[in-house]
Amino acid sequence: ARPEPGPVGGGLFAAFAQRLRACCASRLARASLVVFGLSGVARAVALGKEVLVAALFGVSGLLDAYVLALLVPSFLANQLGASFASALVPALGREEARARTGAAKLLAQGLLAQALVLAAAVLAVALVPAEALRVLAPGAGPQRLEDIKTLQTLLLPLCVLTSLGGTLGAVANYGGEFRGPALAG
């Protein structure tokens, strides 16, 4: 004889709820849910930023200037941040396995090296004349190129902060901290 199935809605929901509770009992699952939730908050704030940018600039040449100005700093931040984080985290793991004090020194040296490389990159970008931005905006006139250059110069400090923040987030994740890095975006 076959057992009678329970109510479809209640039985499936109860089984799902039970599995969810069992899954969330593990530290990894709880940390994943925290990261998921906080990343959602960070993405909502980012969406708010995009809405604010759209409200300030509208559909105009100034919005194009902003987007073009953001290209190089965001590329530098992402590329250098990812590179340093990818190299630093495994090195910290190896160093931590040997001696705890060496890991702190390596972290300080790694962040200093990243900051110096970022400073050199930001300085190089800042020294590029506005006319060179014609590569990104071939149809832009001289005034629009100046607008792009001005916005780009204003955005360069964010390049440094974003890149260092990404590396610190990766290090924090390695150390078992998930909340702060999830909100960093």
Side-chain angles (χ1 to χ4, degrees):
R2 285 171 93 170
E4 287 229 7
V8 174
L12 287 177
F13 180 74
F16 176 72
Q18 185 178 7
R19 279 197 170 162
L20 187 60
R21 275 192 297 277
C23 177
C24 290
S26 79
R27 184 172 185 261
L28 178 60
R30 284 191 310 274
S32 296
L33 286 174
V34 167
V35 169
F36 177 76
L38 294 176
S39 294
V41 170
R43 298 292 178 212
V45 170
L47 176 64
K49 181 196 76 153
E50 295 300 326
V51 169
L52 179 65
V53 167
L56 289 174
F57 295 116
V59 181
S60 68
L62 215 48
L63 177 60
D64 292 341
Y66 170 77
V67 170
L68 290 170
L70 191 58
L71 282 176
V72 173
S74 65
F75 173 78
L76 286 174
N78 292 333
Q79 191 63 32
L80 293 174
S83 300
F84 273 89
S86 295
L88 187 58
V89 169
L92 283 173
R94 286 191 302 274
E95 190 62 33
E96 198 171 79
R98 283 189 256 158
R100 279 203 136 348
T101 57
K105 184 177 178 184
L106 178 63
L107 176 61
Q109 290 172 341
L111 290 174
L112 177 62
Q114 183 179 6
L116 291 173
V117 169
L118 283 164
V122 162
L123 182 61
V125 170
L127 293 175
V128 170
E131 187 59 36
L133 294 172
R134 190 166 300 287
V135 171
L136 296 175
Q143 183 56 48
R144 184 61 64 211
L145 291 173
E146 285 298 326
D147 291 344
I148 294 169
K149 184 63 185 176
T150 300
L151 286 169
Q152 185 180 67
T153 302
L154 291 171
L155 292 168
L156 284 173
L158 293 177
C159 165
V160 175
L161 293 174
T162 301
S163 187
L164 289 171
T167 300
L168 287 172
V171 170
N173 281 157
Y174 170 74
E177 173 58 43
F178 303 105
R179 291 175 187 95
L183 282 172

